[in-house]
Amino acid sequence: MRYEDGKWRYYRFNGNTKWYEITGATENQQEQMKYMLNAYRVLLTRARAGMVICIPEGNANKTPSGFWEDSTRLPKFYDGTYQYLKSLGIEEI
C-alpha cells in the first residue's frame, strides 16, 4: 500500500519487474484490497512495547546508459507514505 495524492492505493508486485495497481474494479481485486488492509491492520496493532515502521528511501540511481538501477524501488513509491506518516507526528529515528 502507498499513500499517494491524499489516499491509500493498493499495489501488487508481479514478482519480476513491475508493480500493478489494484483498483477494485473486480470482485477479486476488492477481496485483495480487503486482505491487504487487514494484513496491515494486524501488523500495526500487535506491538506491545513499541514499534518501528521502516520506509525505505528507494533507489534513485541510474545506470551509465540512463536506466534506473532498480525501477521497482523508485523513491516516488515511498515518499508519499513517508510524508503522510511524518504529518501524523510519527517520530523519525
Side-chain angles (χ1 to χ4, degrees):
M1 291 173 59
R2 299 180 201 155
Y3 194 77
E4 299 174 343
D5 303 321
K7 63 181 179 177
W8 288 103
R9 295 181 182 237
Y10 298 77
Y11 288 87
R12 184 173 185 173
F13 191 63
N14 75 353
N16 238 354
T17 59
K18 191 167 181 173
W19 290 98
Y20 293 97
E21 185 172 5
I22 300 171
T23 61
T26 66
E27 189 173 332
N28 185 41
Q29 285 187 353
Q30 291 174 4
E31 288 299 318
Q32 288 177 355
M33 291 169 71
K34 286 180 191 176
Y35 181 84
M36 283 179 163
L37 185 60
N38 191 52
Y40 277 93
R41 181 192 60 79
V42 169
L43 290 170
L44 293 172
T45 58
R46 295 303 184 255
R48 297 292 181 246
M51 166 187 345
V52 174
I53 300 171
C54 177
I55 308 291
E57 290 183 16
N59 183 349
N61 299 326
K62 291 189 176 183
T63 64
S65 57
F67 294 100
W68 296 107
E69 281 185 354
D70 186 351
S71 62
T72 65
R73 294 188 316 115
L74 299 177
K76 69 178 184 176
F77 295 163
Y78 305 101
D79 292 346
T81 305
Y82 173 81
Q83 292 301 327
Y84 175 70
L85 295 175
K86 287 286 288 183
S87 76
L88 297 176
I90 294 178
E91 182 181 337
E92 183 177 353
I93 56 173

